[in-house]
């Protein structure tokens, strides 16, 4: 029996195994942010320990950061305290830290790949469930809790039972205008929010092979939304080309040596997956969600199911009541109040390009408040360099400064109660974007069409 | 970590599927830099009305007990351990559900909170028993991995031997990892890390 990419990377990182218990897994990259780390640093201090491998640890503030006037002190006192704690903890332990305003600051899951911090074949953890994003680079990346953050800080290891493995194939050719976000929203709508619980996913087939690295990140990012620990795409030339030349990536002969190793990481022919799913690319259309979990998705031109699909009737009815929608209703033409472009799912340059392509030649609808939030300082710079900023401003949009922003509304970017927000983020949970806020998830192209039309729209019908 | 062998209690019934960590503890409460007092914020948006007064119809405001009985896929969403802290700080020792999200399960185990995974059929019977009689006794016993619900019966639940021992002895993974630092060093040398 051969090994999957996942097996190969996992096995290479097992320090030892507890009999009948978990493996002790060595961690190559530990990403740290201000929300899930202060208690871990405090625990470490209480035990009289220091960070064992600060050279394998990288930190940035992202969740609590305001998205305007970042050169001013953070106004919210508890957000300011959380960010200040991260600055102090990283300094005391010699951890590289990208503070607010730093040219490399941004959402950790955007800057990890972008700065070459996260590479192929690694084990990557962060106290954040969307750590799964990094699997796009062909590595094992997953979210952990704060106790585990403390363990990694102290020992560079955590204890994990090896998860089961699932394989998801999408073959064929995507229809024009279908983004990577549509692909993953479609998959989750088919598999449900716990369809891959206990499993680690490998994305296979034509569609992922042909996808850009940023598209793969969007897909891997939302693996957690179907319950998976994480998801990966086996490394290939697209991966190596992406990594080459990045700030913290190996250079010259070191890079060539690493590529030679990374090439051995593709899954073997004769491998076993615990679950396998296959979808046809032609079945995927631009998507939106209509409910309060990411599995409640449908084509933007479709109608809400007339009764519960993939969940119990109670949850279905509660979700529609919260959203103010009716069973069997079409969403096209439904009023939109807010549009959010950003997050670690869709806050990269390709997402801004896709958004601007749709906007070009139109203007933002008067009734829509749009928050366009780059995922990082580097994305922010690219937006201006490529002239996207001008296109968007000419169309009446404003571009904010990087951070998690309205993805979870820990800063001031909160959607008011009862308002509809078309959002390129990853979660439409009750209250996620503010108490009573109604979130409709979509990709950047659909979000742009909605921002221009002021109602739910399909990009090719503008 | 606290030691747990048995928990005997009445239940708080929250018969809802897919309870995500944003509901267990909303993001705006995650700014605290210590682990304390998250119990006060547990299920905040469900527990309190907009004006801050307690919503008496919500389970937590009506029933007492150290066992929370919920639906499928409990704890999905964010990795925030604050969810497990809030449940433990509030006084829960176990959560009974027909399935748990992976990260939540780990977070619970690392905080002495027992995730008791039962079959959907058993859960359904337990829910209707508690609904009929809120004083229904629940008995979770780690020594034989069992849960007993008065008037319903008994079922065993899955938990790895290592984690079961940790809970019963009050050890956590950190204690173990610190005891094998020399193995970790050897691993680093071997792999030239
Ligand atoms: S952008 Fe959203 S999902 Fe991503 S790390 Fe920030 S809060 Fe989490």
């Amino acid at each position: 029996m051969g090994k999957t990419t996942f097996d190969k990377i996992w096995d290479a990182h097992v320090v030892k195994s507890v009999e009948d218990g978990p493996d002790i897994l060595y961690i190559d990259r530990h990403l740290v942010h201000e929300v899930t780390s202060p208690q871990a640093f405090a625990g470490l201090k209480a035990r009289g320990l220091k960070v064992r491998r600060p050279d394998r640890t990288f930190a940035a503030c992202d969740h609590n950061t305001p998205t305007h006037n970042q050169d001013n002190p953070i106004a919210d006192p508890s957000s300011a305290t959380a960010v200040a704690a991260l600055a102090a903890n990283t300094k005391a332990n010699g951890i590289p830290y990208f503070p607010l305003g730093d040219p490399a600051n941004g959402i950790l899951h955007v800057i990890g790949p972008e700065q070459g911090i996260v590479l192929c074949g690694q084990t990557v953890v962060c106290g954040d469930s969307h750590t799964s994003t990094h699997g796009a680079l062909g590595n094992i990346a997953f979210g952990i809790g704060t106790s585990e953050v403390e363990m990694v800080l102290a020992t560079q290891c955590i204890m994990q039972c090896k998860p089961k493995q699932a394989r998801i194939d999408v073959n064929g050719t995507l229809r024009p205008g279908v983004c990577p976000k549509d692909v993953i929203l479609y998959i989750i709508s088919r598999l449900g929010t716990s369809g891959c619980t206990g499993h680690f996913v490998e994305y296979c087939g034509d569609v992922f092979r042909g996808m850009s690295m940023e598209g793969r990140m969007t897909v891997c990012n939302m693996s957690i939304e179907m319950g998976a620990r994480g998801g990966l795409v086996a490394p290939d030339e697209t991966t190596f080309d992406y990594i080459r030349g990045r700030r913290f990536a190996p250079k010259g002969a070191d890079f060539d040596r690493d590529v030679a190793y990374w090439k051995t990481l593709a899954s073997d022919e004769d491998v076993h997956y615990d679950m396998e799913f296959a979808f046809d690319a032609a079945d995927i259309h631009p998507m939106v969600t209509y409910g309060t979990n990411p599995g409640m998705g449908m084509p933007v031109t479709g109608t809400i199911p007339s009764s519960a699909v993939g969940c119990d009737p109670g949850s279905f009815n509660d979700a529609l009541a919260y959203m103010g929608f009716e069973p069997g209703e079409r969403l096209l033409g439904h009023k939109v109040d807010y549009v959010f472009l950003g997050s670690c799912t869709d806050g990269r340059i390709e997402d801004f390009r896709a958004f601007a392509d749709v906007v070009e030649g139109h203007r933002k609808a008067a009734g829509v408040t749009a928050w366009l939030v780059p995922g990082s300082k580097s994305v922010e710079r690219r937006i201006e360099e490529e002239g996207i900023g001008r296109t968007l401003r000419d169309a009446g949009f404003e571009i904010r400064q990087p951070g998690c922003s309205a993805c979870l509304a820990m800063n001031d970017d909160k959607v008011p109660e009862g308002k509809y927000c078309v959002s390129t983020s990853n979660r439409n949970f009750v209250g996620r974007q503010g108490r009573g806020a109604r979130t409709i998830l979509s990709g950047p192209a659909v979000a742009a069409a909605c921002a221009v039309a002021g109602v739910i729209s399909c990009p090719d019908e503008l | 970590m606290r030691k747990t062998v048995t928990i005997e209690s009445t239940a708080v019934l929250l018969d809802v599927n897919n309870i995500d960590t944003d509901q267990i503890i909303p993001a705006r409460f995650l700014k605290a830099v210590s682990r304390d007092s998250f119990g006060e914020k547990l299920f905040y948006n469900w527990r309190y009305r907009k004006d801050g007064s307690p919503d008496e119809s919500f389970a937590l405001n009506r029933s007492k007990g150290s066992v929370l009985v919920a639906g499928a896929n409990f704890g999905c969403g964010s990795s925030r351990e604050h969810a497990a802290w809030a449940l433990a700080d509030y006084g829960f020792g176990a959560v009974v559900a027909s399935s748990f999200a992976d990260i939540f399960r780990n977070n619970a185990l690392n905080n002495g909170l027992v995730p008791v995974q039962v079959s959907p059929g058993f859960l359904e019977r337990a829910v209707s028993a508690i609904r009929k009689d809120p004083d229904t006794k629940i008995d979770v016993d780690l020594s034989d991995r069992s849960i007993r619900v008065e008037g319903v019966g008994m079922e065993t639940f899955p938990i790895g031997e290592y984690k079961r021992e940790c809970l019963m002895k009050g050890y956590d993974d950190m204690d173990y990892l610190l005891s094998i630092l020399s193995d970790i060093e050897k691993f680093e040398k071997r792999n030239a890390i």
Side-chain angles (χ1 to χ4, degrees):
Chain A
M1 182 68 73
K3 285 181 165 196
T4 61
T5 302
F6 181 85
D7 291 327
K8 290 178 187 181
I9 301 172
W10 183 281
D11 294 352
H13 289 83
V14 174
V15 174
K16 67 186 276 185
S17 305
V18 178
E19 219 184 294
D20 273 339
D23 290 334
I24 290 82
L25 200 64
Y26 192 82
I27 300 303
D28 292 319
R29 288 291 179 272
H30 184 195
L31 308 177
V32 177
H33 65 84
E34 79 281 5
V35 181
T36 55
S37 69
Q39 295 88 350
F41 280 110
L44 207 65
K45 208 168 172 187
R47 289 179 201 255
L49 296 171
K50 285 222 118 190
V51 175
R52 191 152 180 284
R53 293 297 299 260
D55 57 326
R56 319 207 118 217
T57 314
F58 294 83
C61 51
D62 49 13
H63 287 64
N64 278 282
T65 53
T67 53
H68 52 100
N69 299 330
Q70 286 190 347
D71 41 346
N72 291 349
I74 299 177
D76 179 302
S78 35
S79 288
T81 306
V83 171
L86 182 64
N89 285 328
T90 50
K91 186 159 185 233
N93 286 284
I95 294 170
Y97 172 50
F98 309 115
L100 208 55
D102 187 282
N105 177 265
I107 305 170
L108 273 173
H109 310 317
V110 175
I111 66 176
E114 172 189 278
Q115 299 293 326
I117 292 167
V118 167
L119 307 170
C120 249
Q122 292 179 326
T123 46
V124 182
V125 296
C126 171
D128 191 286
S129 57
H130 291 98
T131 309
S132 60
T133 314
H134 306 280
L137 286 103
N139 58 39
I140 297 181
F142 55 91
I144 56 177
T146 298
S147 296
E148 292 168 318
V149 169
E150 188 179 333
M151 292 169 207
V152 180
L153 290 175
T155 69
Q156 206 58 32
C157 290
I158 50 171
M159 304 182 69
Q160 294 283 303
C161 294
K162 192 172 178 181
K164 292 189 199 140
Q165 294 177 58
R167 171 183 169 126
I168 298 179
D169 273 273
V170 184
N171 281 304
T173 312
L174 290 176
R175 291 166 183 276
V178 171
C179 325
K181 179 67 160 289
D182 300 317
V183 175
I184 188 65
L185 282 175
Y186 174 79
I187 294 172
I188 301 168
S189 77
R190 296 291 304 271
L191 300 184
T193 49
S194 54
C196 289
T197 302
H199 291 70
F200 205 96
V201 175
E202 180 174 348
Y203 296 97
C204 302
D206 310 336
V207 164
F208 304 111
R209 277 294 135 236
M211 209 177 253
S212 70
M213 282 308 290
E214 295 196 357
R216 294 177 185 181
M217 289 177 211
T218 301
V219 169
C220 290
N221 173 278
M222 289 192 75
S223 305
I224 182 83
E225 291 346 311
M226 49 191 173
R229 268 330 284 279
L232 63 78
V233 177
D236 57 12
E237 290 301 326
T238 307
T239 325
F240 312 144
D241 287 345
Y242 177 89
I243 294 173
R244 187 177 290 117
R246 293 194 180 259
R247 178 170 168 195
F248 292 96
K251 306 271 157 39
D254 288 344
F255 179 76
D256 296 338
R257 185 204 57 218
D258 286 349
V259 168
Y261 165 62
W262 295 338
K263 283 184 174 166
T264 67
L265 293 175
S267 292
D268 298 331
E269 291 287 322
D270 54 335
V271 288
H272 167 78
Y273 295 88
D274 301 281
M275 295 198 297
E276 296 193 31
F277 304 98
F279 301 104
D280 185 347
D283 292 339
I284 307 176
H285 297 268
M287 298 282 291
V288 287
T289 60
Y290 56 84
T292 54
N293 73 52
M296 300 168 105
M298 65 175 195
V300 61
T301 51
T303 53
I304 297 175
S306 50
S307 59
V309 178
C311 68
D312 58 291
S315 310
F316 178 75
N317 293 336
D318 289 352
L320 290 197
Y322 181 82
M323 293 300 293
F325 295 150
E326 299 290 331
E329 188 181 344
R330 259 166 83 88
L331 287 189
L332 272 186
H334 193 288
K335 186 177 185 320
V336 170
D337 306 296
Y338 284 75
V339 168
F340 171 54
L341 170 67
S343 88
C344 58
T345 315
D346 277 325
R348 300 184 183 79
I349 190 66
E350 289 179 10
D351 305 306
F352 276 79
R353 284 184 202 139
F355 190 95
D357 280 350
V358 174
V359 162
E360 190 130 39
H362 301 277
R363 282 196 67 78
K364 181 181 81 63
V368 170
T369 304
W371 291 324
L372 314 190
V373 184
S376 70
K377 291 299 272 185
S378 160
V379 174
E380 188 183 44
R381 286 191 297 273
R382 288 283 290 276
I383 289 171
E384 296 310 330
E385 282 161 18
E386 296 186 14
I388 294 172
R390 208 176 53 204
T391 306
L392 292 174
R393 275 189 295 271
D394 286 350
F397 290 93
E398 171 212 359
I399 297 165
R400 297 170 83 94
Q401 291 170 311
C404 293
S405 179
C407 176
L408 92 165
M410 259 184 107
N411 65 358
D412 291 337
D413 308 340
K414 290 181 176 50
V415 176
E417 180 160 5
K419 297 292 182 196
Y420 289 93
C421 179
V422 175
S423 176
T424 65
S425 54
N426 43 54
R427 286 184 178 144
N428 50 354
F429 295 155
V430 167
R432 170 87 177 177
Q433 296 193 292
R435 194 167 177 164
R438 293 158 158 171
T439 304
I440 297 165
L441 299 177
S442 81
V446 170
C450 297
V452 164
V455 293
I456 307 264
S457 303
C458 193
D460 53 355
E461 281 171 17
L462 275 187
Chain B
M1 200 172 73
R2 66 181 174 194
K3 282 189 206 176
T4 306
V5 181
T6 58
I7 302 162
E8 283 181 60
S9 168
T10 52
V12 174
L13 178 62
L14 205 52
D15 179 24
V16 180
N17 291 331
N18 296 311
I19 295 180
D20 59 75
T21 49
D22 284 78
Q23 310 313 319
I24 301 173
I25 179 115
R28 61 184 184 282
F29 300 124
L30 307 185
K31 296 177 184 182
V33 292
S34 82
R35 284 185 188 230
D36 310 328
S37 320
F38 283 105
E40 295 162 16
K41 306 292 182 334
L42 179 66
F43 293 116
Y44 194 90
N45 289 353
W46 289 352
R47 202 166 141 197
Y48 299 104
R49 295 202 191 85
K50 254 173 288 158
D51 63 7
S53 63
D55 181 346
E56 295 304 335
S57 68
F58 183 61
L60 231 55
N61 296 325
R62 277 188 304 155
S63 23
K64 289 211 164 19
S66 50
V67 176
L68 179 69
V69 176
N73 198 27
F74 186 85
C76 59
S78 137
S79 65
R80 61 187 72 154
E81 194 164 318
H82 311 69
W85 297 338
L87 287 160
D89 185 52
Y90 183 82
F92 287 116
V95 181
V96 180
S98 55
S99 58
F100 290 91
D102 293 326
I103 304 180
F104 177 81
R105 181 195 294 273
N106 279 354
N107 287 342
L109 288 167
N110 285 329
N111 286 280
L113 181 66
V114 188
V116 180
Q117 185 175 337
V118 296
S119 67
F122 186 85
L123 184 64
E124 213 181 296
R125 290 194 306 268
V127 166
S128 54
I130 299 162
R131 204 167 267 142
K132 238 182 254 154
D133 176 9
D135 293 327
T136 300
K137 282 263 172 329
I138 299 199
D139 183 358
V140 174
D141 191 344
L142 277 166
S143 57
D144 63 354
R145 302 178 163 91
S146 71
I147 169 166
R148 285 176 179 75
V149 178
E150 199 184 356
V152 171
M154 186 270 254
E155 199 171 273
T156 54
F157 58 90
I159 181 166
E161 185 46 36
Y162 165 79
K163 272 296 170 190
R164 186 176 75 114
E165 222 181 293
C166 285
L167 287 172
M168 291 174 63
K169 293 185 175 160
Y171 294 164
D172 60 23
D173 288 357
M174 184 69 115
D175 301 320
Y176 183 90
L177 288 170
L178 290 173
S179 77
I180 60 151
L181 275 178
S182 62
D183 291 300
I184 298 172
E185 266 161 35
K186 267 185 238 149
F187 179 90
E188 287 176 327
K189 284 221 180 78
R190 201 163 63 234
N191 291 285
I193 299 172

